[in-house]
Amino acid sequence: MKISATVTLKKDVLDPQGKAVNQTIKNMGFKNVTDVRQGKYFEIEIDEANKEKAKEIIEDICKKLLSNVVIEDYIINYK
Amino acid sequence: MRSSVIVFPGSNCDRDVAVALEKFHIKNQMVWHNDTNLPKTDLVVLPGGFSYGDYLRTGCIASKSKIIDDVIRHAKKGGLILGICNGFQILIEAGLLPGILLRNIGLRFLSKNVFLKVVNTDNQFCLNYKNKDIIQLPIAHNEGNFFAKKELLKMLEDNNLIAFKYCNKNGEIEENSNPNGSSNNIAGVISEKKNILGMMPHPERLIDPLLSGEDGSILFTSLIKS
Amino acid sequence: MKITPEIIDKHGIKPDEYKKIIKLIGKNPNLLELGIFSAMWNEHCSYKSSKKYLKTLPIKNDKVIQGPGENAGIVDIEDNDAIVFKIESHNHPSFIEPYQGAATGVGGILRDVFTMGARPIATLNSIHFGSHLHSKTKNLLNGVVLGIGGYGNCMGIPTIGGEVKFNSSYNENILVNAMAVGLVKKNKIFYSKAKGINQPVIYVGSKTGRDGIHGASMASNKFDNNSEQKKPTVQVGDPFTEKLLLEACLELMKDNSIISIQDMGAAGLTSSSVEMASKGNLGIELELEKVPCREENMTPYEIMLSESQERMLLILNSGKENQAKKIFSKWGLDFSIIGKTTNSKNLILNYNGNEVANLPLSSLSKDAPEYDRKWIKSTNSKKTENPKNFKSLKISTCLEKILKSPNNSEKSWVWEQYDHTVMGDTVQKPGGDSGVIRIHGKNKGIALTVDSSANYCLADPVTGAKQVVCETWRNLISVGSKPLAITNCLNFGNPEKDKIMGQFVETIDGISQACTYLDFPVVSGNVSFYNETKNNSIPPTPTIGGVGLIKNLNNMMTKNFKEPENHIFVIGKTLGHLYQSEFFREIMNFNNGPPPKVNLFNEKNNGLLILDLISKKLVSSVHDISSGGMLIALSEMCISGKIGAKIRIPNNIIGKHEYLFGEDQSRYIVEISEKNKKEAIKILEKNSVYYEVIGKTQKDYLDLEKEFKINISELSKFNSIWFKNYFEENYGS
């Protein structure tokens, strides 16, 4: 089963990278863009037929490794 | 000889390289990234540092700066361009040199002196080195792992477009002396017209016997050799 | 909102402190005002438990331009040059989020230095972790090292020294102390004291977000099981913005626009505005809706207490606003006029035209609580029985084991992750007794070191604290510099406990004695209390950062042996003190007994003599003998010089283990050529300095007569494998 996860900084946490990218986009002339937040995207192949079990495992991985729960949130996308 | 050091937000070796240029009597001026035109200049230097904090991809945001268009024009006219460390990364992002610089294979920033073999002296930057010279320069980077596909590597080797390779103290080019995982131990490459040099090591940091060496000086004396 | 006892407690304010607040301001504070008191009256900002003792430290001599009380201390290094420096802790945030905690620690201390008009030229750090076997240590160490590097490297300031230590007493309370050093022209120093009324108050730098609200209060809270919930208050650092802020501030400082300047560190806008106004004996009035905010709907409470990084508060000469604004917009930074100085002597905060807070500034600064806390003398470790059977242990086995131990291993794995050559003036890299930075464009330099000896301090705080100061002094001497002054970071447990308070009082006493005797004043510093979790306190850990001057860099000294056939001298007397030594700790697992005595007369006499020998070019290498004793120091000189030594233990009344591993103070090993031997001995004898000649340098082998002969490359391997192995186990190559 293929599952993907997106990790982003929590809403209130400063995102220096997003800030710099946003400014550059504006400088390049894309005037309508108002904000950019940068995150990470993971595609995970998991050998588990039971969807609920797979979900639990991925949750656990997100909490323990892929995200830094102090400053980041994660969203898991199931296909 | 006149040089222009481009200052990007986050450049931090701009002063160091300006000091080196001036030490060897090159008339230098600092140029702000937001300017649209270079002043009259023979050499453009893209200095080391963390332009735009290395955010998104190293060198990427700087390569979109206003001044870069004129730097590309300068390159097309055959003008000299030297990119050191972050400057090398910017040159690649701007399409002026081939390949890509990935994260160091150990996934850590590395600041240390390394041995280099000078493998091309047929360019303005290396004229005063002897072919196969073994020199020592500091590196200080997180993304210096030069990667090129097979065909590109072959092209670079066949056309003698590699300036420096990481080696051991005896000049042997081997895996143990490759600090960052670069393909074929490549530490610096030159453009096909040999007017552009991009390199990860910092020649401007070793121009003084007090700082344990002068191997970097030779690059600057090469520049003023006619 | 009604201020309940629960809310007061949540703000870390004790009931009697609350009564004092009402008395001082003549009303019940609203929530914002309570928040401001909470920030200003906590230990971190008010020094309420430590002030009484800090006042007793020697802080002046003819070299000191600025002592404690400003953003950083300043010493004169002649030719109109001055060195600005300070050390600060970021312990609690680094434990919660090691990367960001350490990074913002570096960012904060750098701002303290460039706020004063100085360009930062070096950073150092002292980091303490729990046992290397503890489950959290590897991640914490990794994160802290990446964070320090991530920030310093991006700023382009060389990290040229530091220490990394492990001890199980830091398992739940790591220490991250960062020191920054800057160079300023004596006539271009900027201070935080406000002057003149109706001058514009300017906010520059990053926008304000909800980061770190109550961070300063967090730093003064001991950890408990609820620490997890304190997590969202950790700030995120943006070294890129700080680099821009540095350049913009230094650009603005070229002319006379700035009246005063203060960085927004702990307690953010609150402490910076209060400090500036109260130092100037003025009032200050701010319009909070003008503060640039990153989030929508931020309340005055959040704006005042946010600890968002990379921000500064300036007071400009009125009329200079536009010129200043141009510079900050060029660097892409926020610039906003948010208020003015007044003659009211009050802090007045308005939000959209309504007054939301009005407090007399004196209530926040000079009338803040100052405690004379109860303390008891430490029950110092007495001489006890020695551990049994150590005399039969093979010297070579002990040497190998100590060299391989985490605390005594060579630390290049760490410092190679820090850019230590940027700025092109690093004359002596990390790994020596001190780092040395050339003053740009000149032939003089400064030596920098940071040291701590928590084991000694726990066993006897007075002696331990004296020893740390002396260790710093020796490290500066060993590279040929004249020691000038120190900065200290005092890391302790909970001062409300009389035992901990006693450790603090005695530590101050020890530092004071040593600094006074050596004419080595304390010019800046920081106190970090409450480093304890579930009643387990860290050992008293004063960290000392020292600065020395090398007037002529051609006289700089290094520790690596230079050539074979030179004589090896030990300067200072070896008595064989093994209590609290690395030998007892690492080999015998024995931690009792007192630390070695410190004799300040010998310390000064021997140190000045070494400086004399260096300046007369009579010695080829110098290394102080510290942790691990003589044999470890010798090994380090061999390893760094790739040169061996043939050693013969002089006929002694003390045993060879005591002689080789004892940690008696005031000692150095020096290398002297045959040509210089006579002259050196003449000077040693004239000054009545005790010395022994223990052997000669030679090629390739460290050779201890009747004991062992080992190849230097093997010795080097012992000393360098630990860190690599520790990380490669889990992290890959």
Side-chain angles (χ1 to χ4, degrees):
Chain A
M1 187 183 305
K2 200 183 221 172
I3 294 177
S4 66
T6 311
V7 176
T8 51
L9 283 164
K10 286 192 162 112
K11 189 178 144 286
D12 285 353
V13 171
L14 173 70
D15 176 11
Q17 303 217 48
K19 199 174 108 188
V21 172
N22 182 29
Q23 195 52 49
T24 308
I25 290 174
K26 280 185 188 151
N27 294 347
M28 290 169 79
F30 300 99
K31 299 290 179 206
N32 304 336
V33 174
T34 53
D35 196 18
V36 176
R37 305 277 291 171
Q38 185 169 331
K40 299 182 194 116
Y41 175 78
F42 302 89
E43 280 182 354
I44 306 158
E45 289 275 4
I46 181 167
D47 188 11
E48 173 58 69
N50 184 326
K51 198 176 164 184
E52 280 310 302
K53 266 193 188 156
K55 189 177 161 182
E56 252 173 58
I57 294 168
I58 299 293
E59 280 268 355
D60 207 28
I61 293 173
C62 279
K63 262 186 222 150
K64 287 183 178 155
L65 178 70
L66 301 183
S67 79
N68 175 347
V69 293
V70 179
I71 50 175
E72 291 172 326
D73 287 329
Y74 58 86
I75 304 165
I76 300 171
N77 316 298
Y78 306 92
K79 288 231 169 101
Chain B
M1 175 159 231
R2 275 164 308 197
S3 64
S4 302
V5 172
I6 315 286
V7 183
F8 301 96
S11 292
N12 63 31
C13 303
D14 43 337
R15 184 199 71 176
D16 303 359
V17 78
V19 167
L21 291 162
E22 279 154 20
K23 181 171 177 181
F24 297 98
H25 311 295
I26 298 170
K27 205 169 156 355
N28 181 58
Q29 49 195 315
M30 308 306 265
V31 177
W32 186 238
H33 71 107
N34 228 1
D35 292 353
T36 42
N37 291 303
L38 288 168
K40 207 164 151 42
T41 195
D42 305 299
L43 166 71
V44 171
V45 181
L46 306 188
F50 285 66
S51 59
Y52 295 93
D54 269 1
Y55 299 149
L56 197 56
R57 291 189 304 277
T58 52
C60 165
I61 300 181
S63 75
K64 311 286 180 227
S65 300
K66 280 191 187 154
I67 195 70
I68 293 295
D69 289 342
D70 209 31
V71 173
I72 293 172
R73 276 194 290 274
H74 177 79
K76 283 191 177 145
K77 282 188 297 189
L80 294 174
I81 301 179
L82 170 63
I84 302 167
C85 199
N86 189 226
F88 185 14
Q89 295 160 342
I90 297 169
L91 285 175
I92 286 181
E93 282 285 343
L96 289 170
L97 285 174
I100 188 167
L101 289 159
L102 302 174
R103 278 192 74 185
N104 295 348
I105 194 158
L107 300 180
R108 293 184 181 278
F109 188 96
L110 255 189
S111 171
K112 62 194 273 192
N113 276 5
V114 294
F115 287 104
L116 298 169
K117 192 165 199 169
V118 185
V119 288
N120 180 330
T121 53
D122 181 25
N123 64 77
Q124 187 72 48
F125 306 94
C126 300
L127 284 178
N128 282 351
Y129 289 109
K130 289 192 204 74
N131 203 12
K132 305 209 168 66
D133 257 358
I134 302 157
I135 62 169
Q136 222 184 342
L137 290 178
I139 54 167
H141 59 245
N142 205 5
E143 278 102 352
N145 178 355
F146 183 84
F147 176 79
K149 285 190 184 157
K150 254 191 204 156
E151 307 82 65
L152 177 58
L153 273 182
K154 187 170 180 313
M155 193 280 278
L156 292 173
E157 295 278 5
D158 289 352
N159 294 298
N160 199 12
L161 298 180
I162 298 160
F164 304 103
K165 285 187 175 183
Y166 301 106
C167 65
N168 63 19
K169 65 173 191 244
N170 303 316
E172 289 147 359
I173 293 158
E174 36 106 50
E175 206 182 313
N176 279 340
S177 45
N178 186 345
N180 52 26
S182 293
S183 307
N184 291 18
N185 283 39
I186 293 172
V189 295
I190 39 187
S191 63
E192 282 181 65
K193 284 197 279 179
K194 302 197 169 151
N195 61 325
I196 306 173
L197 168 66
M199 61 192 293
M200 289 314 295
H202 288 272
E204 80 280 14
R205 294 192 192 177
L206 224 50
I207 53 163
D208 196 329
L210 197 61
L211 275 72
S212 67
E214 293 186 280
D215 286 353
S217 303
I218 303 168
L219 188 141
F220 295 97
T221 61
S222 299
L223 282 168
I224 47 176
K225 188 172 180 177
S226 53
Chain C
M1 187 184 216
K2 198 172 148 31
I3 306 292
T4 61
E6 290 74 46
I7 290 175
I8 295 165
D9 185 58
K10 257 195 177 156
H11 281 77
I13 288 172
K14 303 271 151 76
D16 48 335
E17 289 178 337
Y18 188 69
K19 274 184 209 146
K20 183 171 170 159
I21 289 173
I22 295 172
K23 207 175 145 200
L24 282 171
I25 66 174
K27 63 177 179 184
N28 287 317
N30 61 32
L31 185 67
L32 170 60
E33 290 168 333
L34 185 71
I36 290 170
F37 273 105
S38 148
M40 292 307 297
W41 279 22
N42 76 48
E43 197 64 58
H44 191 86
C45 286
S46 72
Y47 291 91
K48 59 189 170 190
S49 303
S50 56
K51 218 189 267 174
K52 174 174 178 224
Y53 299 96
L54 294 175
K55 283 177 192 161
T56 65
L57 288 168
I59 57 168
K60 279 186 194 153
N61 68 13
D62 58 342
K63 298 282 181 224
V64 176
I65 296 172
Q66 176 65 53
E70 262 292 340
N71 284 298
I74 307 182
V75 289
D76 193 339
I77 57 161
E78 300 167 26
D79 321 311
N80 199 29
D81 295 322
I83 294 297
V84 180
F85 66 106
K86 190 184 181 186
I87 191 167
E88 207 164 69
S89 61
H90 225 212
N91 305 338
H92 297 73
S94 301
F95 183 76
I96 292 174
E97 213 306 287
Y99 184 97
Q100 295 298 347
T104 52
V106 174
I109 195 67
L110 283 170
R111 278 196 301 284
D112 279 336
V113 163
F114 71 77
T115 302
M116 303 202 74
R119 179 172 285 279
I121 56 171
T123 64
L124 298 93
N125 56 75
S126 163
I127 51 184
H128 287 70
F129 298 91
S131 157
H132 65 283
L133 301 170
H134 188 265
S135 63
K136 288 179 183 160
T137 298
K138 197 177 285 183
N139 262 327
L140 289 168
L141 171 62
N142 189 51
V144 166
V145 170
L146 288 176
I148 291 172
Y151 212 98
N153 297 346
C154 182
M155 288 291 289
I157 295 155
T159 300
I160 62 140
E163 50 169 18
V164 183
K165 295 195 172 170
F166 303 89
N167 185 312
S168 56
S169 40
Y170 302 101
N171 279 354
E172 301 291 333
N173 289 89
I174 63 168
L175 301 184
V176 174
N177 295 175
M179 172 171 164
V181 182
L183 174 67
V184 69
K185 287 285 165 207
K186 252 166 81 177
N187 58 347
K188 288 296 274 179
I189 297 171
F190 289 82
Y191 295 98
S192 57
K193 179 180 168 180
K195 275 179 239 158
I197 54 172
N198 271 328
Q199 305 298 327
V201 177
I202 319 278
Y203 170 113
V204 296
S206 276
K207 288 183 166 50
T208 296
R210 292 194 174 95
D211 339 38
I213 291 175
H214 275 182
S217 310
M218 175 178 84
S220 303
N221 264 313
K222 49 188 193 292
F223 281 166
D224 49 37
N225 289 329
N226 296 327
S227 296
E228 296 289 307
Q229 286 161 19
K230 289 179 179 156
K231 278 181 171 181
T233 63
V234 170
Q235 319 92 309
V236 172
D238 179 4
F240 169 57
T241 297
E242 175 122 321
K243 168 72 176 163
L244 305 183
L245 187 61
L246 162 69
E247 297 303 335
C249 286
L250 292 185
E251 197 172 322
L252 181 62
M253 284 163 168
K254 281 184 185 150
D255 67 17
N256 56 357
S257 305
I258 298 177
I259 295 174
S260 70
I261 173 165
Q262 168 83 37
D263 84 295
M264 292 190 226
L269 188 52
T270 297
S271 69
S272 51
S273 55
V274 168
E275 274 174 41
M276 290 172 94
S278 48
K279 275 184 187 156
N281 203 17
L282 295 169
I284 192 164
E285 193 169 339
L286 304 179
E287 318 294 325
L288 295 181
E289 72 280 1
K290 291 186 178 151
V291 171
C293 287
R294 207 171 69 220
E295 318 289 341
E296 280 171 27
N297 303 324
M298 283 188 64
T299 63
Y301 182 92
E302 289 169 330
I303 292 170
M304 285 308 287
L305 296 176
S306 161
E307 290 196 349
S308 288
Q309 300 289 294
E310 294 93 24
R311 303 178 301 160
M312 290 271 193
L313 200 61
L314 321 175
I315 295 174
L316 291 185
N317 277 306
S318 70
K320 298 281 187 182
E321 296 91 325
N322 282 338
Q323 191 188 334
K325 189 174 181 175
K326 240 186 237 162
I327 293 175
F328 284 89
S329 4
K330 174 187 147 191
W331 290 98
L333 296 166
D334 272 292
F335 177 102
S336 178
I337 303 169
I338 61 166
K340 58 173 196 265
T341 55
T342 67
N343 58 4
S344 72
K345 299 192 183 176
N346 274 29
L347 169 73
I348 297 173
L349 304 176
N350 302 313
Y351 188 63
N352 293 329
N354 301 318
E355 184 178 293
V356 289
N358 188 338
L359 295 169
L361 281 158
S362 56
S363 68
L364 298 169
S365 49
K366 83 174 186 1
D367 294 332
E370 185 179 333
Y371 293 124
D372 183 359
R373 294 209 188 272
K374 266 204 211 113
W375 64 277
I376 50 166
K377 254 177 95 65
S378 303
T379 45
N380 293 333
S381 285
K382 294 279 168 344
K383 284 197 181 173
T384 57
E385 246 175 81
N386 278 335
K388 295 208 166 62
N389 300 331
F390 72 85
K391 284 175 186 280
S392 59
L393 293 174
K394 264 181 82 177
I395 299 287
S396 57
T397 319
C398 301
L399 172 65
E400 181 181 335
K401 208 169 165 195
I402 295 176
L403 286 177
K404 278 182 174 171
S405 67
N407 277 319
N408 296 288
S409 277
E410 180 265 329
K411 307 288 191 304
S412 60
W413 182 90
V414 174
W415 54 258
E416 283 184 350
Q417 297 185 54
Y418 308 144
D419 191 340
H420 49 268
T421 53
V422 63
M423 295 184 89
D425 286 311
T426 303
V427 192
Q428 193 162 154
K429 293 177 185 178
D433 285 333
S434 293
V436 178
I437 293 283
R438 172 173 60 187
I439 301 305
H440 192 68
K442 298 189 177 169
N443 193 39
K444 64 179 178 183
I446 51 166
L448 304 165
T449 176
V450 49
D451 302 284
S452 63
S453 309
N455 295 331
Y456 291 177
C457 292
L458 182 63
D460 175 350
V462 179
T463 306
K466 271 200 254 181
Q467 191 276 340
V468 193
V469 174
C470 292
E471 165 99 37
T472 301
W473 158 273
R474 278 199 298 275
N475 281 331
L476 294 174
I477 295 271
S478 298
V479 299
S481 78
K482 183 183 182 307
L484 292 179
I486 64 166
T487 179
N488 58 18
C489 192
L490 306 168
N491 307 281
F492 288 81
N494 179 356
E496 293 159 48
K497 295 180 179 166
D498 50 11
K499 182 182 148 205
I500 303 291
M501 195 61 206
Q503 291 174 342
F504 180 78
V505 172
E506 293 181 293
T507 296
I508 293 282
D509 179 26
I511 292 176
S512 217
Q513 285 184 44
C515 287
T516 306
Y517 193 89
L518 299 172
D519 188 22
F520 199 27
V522 182
V523 298
S524 58
N526 154 250
V527 180
S528 172
F529 280 130
Y530 300 100
N531 292 289
E532 71 173 57
T533 300
K534 293 178 213 153
N535 266 328
N536 285 323
S537 169
I538 61 159
T541 314
T543 306
I544 307 285
V547 175
L549 174 65
I550 306 178
K551 279 194 190 172
N552 177 355
L553 278 174
N554 301 330
N555 286 341
M556 185 188 74
M557 189 42 60
T558 51
K559 75 172 182 190
N560 48 309
F561 278 142
K562 299 297 182 305
E563 55 185 5
E565 292 305 311
N566 281 344
H567 300 281
I568 301 171
F569 283 52
V570 173
I571 311 292
K573 188 150 178 127
T574 303
L575 302 164
H577 185 99
L578 281 179
Y579 293 114
Q580 297 302 331
S581 68
E582 286 303 304
F583 176 76
F584 270 6
R585 201 168 293 274
E586 293 292 341
I587 310 290
M588 309 306 298
N589 198 17
F590 181 86
N591 303 330
N592 297 332
K597 285 213 173 67
V598 174
N599 178 321
L600 291 170
F601 173 82
N602 286 345
E603 198 63 64
K604 191 170 185 176
N605 199 34
N606 296 1
L608 294 179
L609 178 108
I610 294 283
L611 267 191
D612 193 33
L613 293 177
I614 292 173
S615 70
K616 292 194 166 99
K617 295 197 179 289
L618 295 172
V619 288
S620 316
S621 61
V622 175
H623 188 22
D624 80 306
I625 300 179
S626 60
S627 164
M630 189 194 300
L631 191 55
I632 299 300
L634 261 174
S635 303
E636 289 167 351
M637 295 174 88
C638 290
I639 291 168
S640 53
K642 298 192 176 77
I643 283 186
K646 194 172 172 62
I647 306 297
R648 182 181 190 175
I649 302 177
N651 287 329
N652 262 311
I653 44 165
I654 57 175
K656 60 186 177 192
H657 294 83
E658 287 90 334
Y659 187 77
L660 294 167
F661 296 111
E663 297 189 1
D664 311 293
Q665 298 295 297
S666 323
R667 293 182 302 154
Y668 300 81
I669 300 178
V670 300
E671 175 189 2
I672 297 178
S673 67
E674 176 63 29
K675 179 175 74 118
N676 292 327
K677 189 179 175 191
K678 236 174 105 183
E679 179 66 17
I681 288 179
K682 211 169 95 188
I683 295 174
L684 284 160
E685 291 183 345
K686 200 177 114 198
N687 289 281
S688 330
V689 168
Y690 187 89
Y691 71 94
E692 285 170 344
V693 184
I694 59 165
K696 273 187 166 185
T697 52
Q698 64 176 18
K699 275 192 176 161
D700 303 333
Y701 290 92
L702 175 59
D703 187 345
L704 182 62
E705 207 179 70
K706 293 184 199 151
E707 286 293 336
F708 66 84
K709 183 175 175 178
I710 181 171
N711 192 294
I712 300 304
S713 60
E714 200 175 339
L715 204 61
S716 173
K717 222 178 273 164
F718 293 158
N719 203 213
S720 60
I721 54 177
W722 187 83
F723 276 91
K724 286 183 190 98
N725 285 348
Y726 186 55
F727 279 95
E728 278 168 16
E729 279 165 23
N730 271 12
Y731 284 86
S733 62

